[in-house]
Amino acid sequence: MSIDKPADREPGFSTLAIHAGAAPDPSTGARVTPVYQTTSYVFNNVDHAAALFNLEVFGNIYSRIGNPTQAVLEQRVAALEGGTAALAVASGHAAQAVVFQTLMQPGDEFVAGRQLYGGSVNQFNHAFKTFDWKVVWADSTKPETFLEAISPKTKAIFCESIANPGGIVVDLPAISAVAKQAGVPLIVDNTLATPYLCRPKDFGADIVVHSLTKFMGGHGNSIGGAIVDCGSYDWLSAKKNYPALQDPNPSYNGIRMAETFGNFAFALAARVLGLRDLGPAISPFNAFLILTGIETLPLRMAKHCENALAVASHLAGHPRVAWVNYAGLPSNPYHALANKICPRGAGSVFTFGLKGGYEAGVQLVSNVQLISHLANIGDVRSLIIHPASTTHRQLTDEQRAAAGAGDDVVRLSVGLEDVDDIVADLDQALAAR
Amino acid sequence: MDHDRYADTYIAGILADARTIAMVGASAVTNRPSYFAMKYLLGKGYEVIPVNPNLAGDEIQHRHVYPKLAAVPGPVDIVDIFRHSAAAAEVVREAVALKDKLGIKVIWMQLGVRNAAAAAEAEAAGLKVVMNRCAKIEYGRLSGEIGWAGVNVGILSSRRPLLSGRGVQDHVIAGKP
């Protein structure tokens, strides 16, 4: 089985953001996708049940594996990313756990750029170690370091498109070239960019992961994650072993996922093996809220980028600010790369450094009145955090510095308020003592 | 005709008009893609006739297996080829010779099966051709069912999906019996 794009004309991004996956409910005519708040689905008869369990027919069985509200979200995200299929899960971390559980065997390695969300650094260094999956770190700003980190045990390469929290734009085509040379899939976390700003598939990604909690949902109300199968990695002709994709599966009557499901086999294997057996299902209500959020993704991202550029420009001229690392600023070293990878904008999460160091960072987050001091990004509300004292505090000093989260660093996620109000709040908080 | 990209209307028209599908290379092994496709298409109301010389006289999914197309009593709307690409030529030649007797209208080559020369021969004889596609997946895509598996169907619609009336989770495409 396989899925290919139809020859009919391609709808635009905004149209997809509203309509992809969401036909009216067939029974009731409800136009908005209903919240199918149910654990299970009746079978027509035992033959129907058997056919569903054997994957011979399409359909829902149990909401740990799939749910109709979740399915609309999956089709929406897959369409926006240009993928063949997607799987929505309970969180961005769950997405990563399921992706690697589908790809890795004990003793396997993967190469990751070290400029990552601090939670991912922890997950890769510590949680994955208990499965005997070894992360080998490279430098996302130096694509050649990925090649140097490749070994015969390497099963995948992982990076973010816009790195969190450093404001670094990653050279995806260069890292994709390394992945192709090594014969392994490239996994890109596209959380900070969203497909509105960057479609990693267009730069050679094979699998895209998201924390839907951030800009995709966009309203800070639901945790969720997604895995997108770009349909580009040929599991059947791969020289590496990926048993979940390539071998007859004993829990599905001996079918081989890559043979039976072709260019969406990875998304399907992640669902019917990884999600089925590990269990991090997304709640239908969270799927519904995130779907509603995605409908305005293009409008929000354009405004997020506009506000972020204005705030970054203001901070760059502020006497208490030592530096601003926002790729949207023409003076930024990643500006040229941003114009290539994410030409519509460099996102709205960036870092800046305070001349007063650690203490000044603590002061700033303690003094804001409109901007919220919390550990999230990608909300309509502006958010601020001092990574050294929060998200990145479990890391060593060296790891913090490498992740772009040193003592003087403050991370801002610029929201959709009137930009003058965001600037005024920063100014008063920077002035306060 | 561009055999790399088919319009949805082309595939939908073929699947809506057909009633009987002769599946050349049908397998009795339950984990083979042809077995999956046959089961699914039977469930959608198509009459599927398995053709396989090695299993002639046996039954697959309660359907009699014929040794070759010429042995099928007919009628046949679609000849669905589950053979390797080179072997498709011979099947197409046989189908062209039998097209009037059996009423064959379409040559369909399964996903991974492509034979441009055979396609040209079939088209010259007035048959429609689909290559490198799975009938199950195309039906699942056009009916929307495959979306339950998170698959990007590539179709936007403000129209309600059509229910078969046979039971739950059973969508059909417009024009189907």
Side-chain angles (χ1 to χ4, degrees):
Chain A
M1 247 188 272
S2 184
I3 198 89
D4 285 283
K5 275 199 277 185
D8 309 42
R9 71 179 291 278
E10 293 284 333
F13 190 92
S14 297
T15 306
L16 290 174
I18 294 166
H19 289 285
D25 181 68
S27 299
T28 63
R31 187 62 192 92
V32 170
T33 298
V35 183
Y36 288 93
Q37 191 67 37
T38 183
T39 58
S40 331
Y41 309 83
V42 294
F43 306 119
N44 292 320
N45 49 51
V46 290
D47 289 341
H48 181 223
L52 282 166
F53 276 99
N54 289 341
L55 307 178
E56 291 163 352
V57 298
F58 309 111
N60 301 283
I61 300 173
Y62 189 60
S63 289
R64 194 183 72 246
I65 303 167
N67 167 282
T69 312
Q70 170 191 344
V72 175
L73 173 62
E74 289 161 347
Q75 293 174 73
R76 185 79 48 86
V77 175
L80 293 175
E81 287 285 5
T84 53
L87 173 65
V89 292
S91 68
H93 258 32
Q96 289 171 183
V98 168
V99 162
F100 282 103
Q101 200 266 345
T102 306
L103 295 175
M104 306 281 280
Q105 297 290 108
D108 284 348
E109 297 178 0
F110 67 100
V111 178
R114 69 170 69 93
Q115 292 82 355
L116 295 183
Y117 164 51
S120 295
V121 174
N122 272 333
Q123 186 187 42
F124 293 175
N125 272 337
H126 304 301
F128 282 9
K129 197 174 175 181
T130 67
F131 303 139
D132 199 16
W133 306 335
K134 186 182 173 199
V135 58
V136 180
W137 294 107
D139 184 341
S140 297
T141 68
K142 299 186 177 74
E144 66 278 10
T145 61
F146 284 79
L147 190 59
E148 292 157 17
I150 297 286
S151 87
K153 292 178 178 174
T154 306
K155 288 296 184 70
I157 293 179
F158 184 97
C159 66
E160 296 179 354
S161 49
I162 298 178
N164 172 15
I168 292 165
V169 177
V170 177
D171 190 348
L172 297 179
I175 294 173
S176 164
V178 174
K180 286 190 170 46
Q181 192 180 333
V184 299
L186 172 62
I187 307 160
V188 175
D189 180 344
N190 200 32
T191 299
L192 262 69
T194 82
Y196 178 76
L197 299 179
C198 169
R199 282 217 326 200
K201 181 195 174 185
D202 298 340
F203 301 108
D206 300 297
I207 297 164
V208 175
V209 292
H210 275 280
S211 168
L212 299 173
T213 313
K214 313 302 187 315
F215 294 99
M216 295 291 272
H219 294 72
N221 57 25
S222 302
I223 302 280
I227 299 161
V228 180
D229 187 344
C230 295
S232 49
Y233 189 83
D234 186 348
W235 306 100
L236 287 176
S237 67
K239 292 193 176 67
K240 301 271 179 174
N241 290 330
Y242 299 98
L245 279 302
Q246 298 160 337
D247 293 356
N249 192 280
S251 69
Y252 284 108
N253 196 22
I255 66 169
R256 300 165 71 213
M257 293 291 165
E259 178 189 52
T260 308
F261 299 107
N263 67 359
F264 61 90
F266 184 79
L268 208 93
R271 177 190 307 278
V272 303
L273 299 173
L275 180 59
R276 181 194 67 173
D277 297 341
L278 297 179
I282 189 170
S283 97
F285 189 56
N286 281 10
F288 172 83
L289 290 173
I290 293 166
L291 258 180
T292 304
I294 289 176
E295 292 176 357
T296 57
L297 179 69
L299 295 171
R300 287 186 289 104
M301 290 312 292
K303 187 68 177 170
H304 273 299
C305 290
E306 182 188 319
N307 280 1
L309 183 59
V311 173
S313 303
H314 176 78
L315 288 172
H318 196 286
R320 289 193 171 163
V321 173
W323 51 266
V324 176
N325 189 7
Y326 180 56
L329 292 173
S331 57
N332 186 277
Y334 298 100
H335 189 65
L337 198 52
N339 284 340
K340 178 178 166 191
I341 303 289
C342 47
R344 284 166 147 167
S348 90
V349 177
F350 66 88
T351 52
F352 58 100
L354 295 171
K355 290 177 181 167
Y358 189 94
E359 280 309 314
V362 171
Q363 282 297 318
L364 173 58
V365 299
S366 304
N367 289 329
V368 287
Q369 299 295 327
L370 177 71
I371 301 169
S372 302
H373 175 214
L374 54 75
N376 191 27
I377 54 170
D379 191 328
V380 292
R381 283 153 279 270
S382 291
L383 314 174
I384 196 165
I385 202 157
H386 179 220
S389 61
T390 52
T391 50
H392 287 62
R393 74 180 303 152
Q394 285 95 345
L395 305 185
T396 63
D397 288 350
E398 293 74 30
Q399 285 175 323
R400 272 204 292 274
D407 280 353
D408 62 333
V409 177
V410 172
R411 182 186 72 189
L412 203 53
S413 174
V414 179
L416 302 182
E417 301 95 339
D418 288 289
V419 70
D420 292 347
D421 295 330
I422 302 169
V423 165
D425 192 34
L426 285 168
D427 281 350
Q428 69 78 22
L430 284 165
R433 276 291 171 228
Chain B
M1 163 128 216
D2 179 0
H3 287 289
D4 290 325
R5 293 168 73 82
Y6 299 108
D8 287 343
T9 48
Y10 178 71
I11 300 285
I14 286 171
L15 290 174
D17 291 344
R19 297 294 178 271
T20 305
I21 301 170
M23 193 174 271
V24 180
S27 174
V29 180
T30 57
N31 62 26
R32 299 303 305 157
S34 69
Y35 191 93
F36 274 46
M38 181 173 172
K39 181 154 190 169
Y40 183 81
L41 294 168
L42 283 170
K44 291 301 173 194
Y46 292 101
E47 191 48 50
V48 183
I49 303 168
V51 176
N52 186 333
N54 301 321
L55 301 171
D58 293 354
E59 285 194 345
I60 300 176
Q61 302 185 51
H62 308 298
R63 296 301 189 281
H64 183 81
V65 183
Y66 293 90
K68 52 185 179 174
L69 272 179
V72 174
V76 169
D77 297 310
I78 300 177
V79 175
D80 190 1
I81 304 173
F82 279 78
R83 300 289 313 282
H84 59 85
S85 296
E90 190 189 333
V91 179
V92 168
R93 216 163 294 131
E94 202 181 351
V96 167
L98 292 164
K99 76 180 168 87
D100 294 328
K101 181 186 166 214
L102 295 180
I104 296 167
K105 297 167 196 73
V106 179
I107 297 291
W108 187 304
M109 300 184 208
Q110 174 61 12
L111 195 72
V113 184
R114 283 173 182 271
N115 189 319
E121 193 180 329
E123 286 174 327
L127 300 179
K128 289 183 178 174
V129 175
V130 176
M131 289 197 288
N132 192 31
R133 288 286 187 281
C134 172
K136 174 187 174 185
I137 195 108
E138 291 302 309
Y139 195 105
R141 199 171 66 75
L142 293 164
S143 67
E145 281 189 351
I146 202 169
W148 291 321
V151 173
N152 177 12
V153 301
I155 298 167
L156 305 185
S157 178
S158 61
R159 317 300 303 180
R160 281 190 304 138
L162 301 174
L163 299 173
S164 72
R166 290 184 290 252
V168 295
Q169 302 201 63
D170 193 355
H171 291 185
V172 292
I173 60 172
K176 261 301 295 159

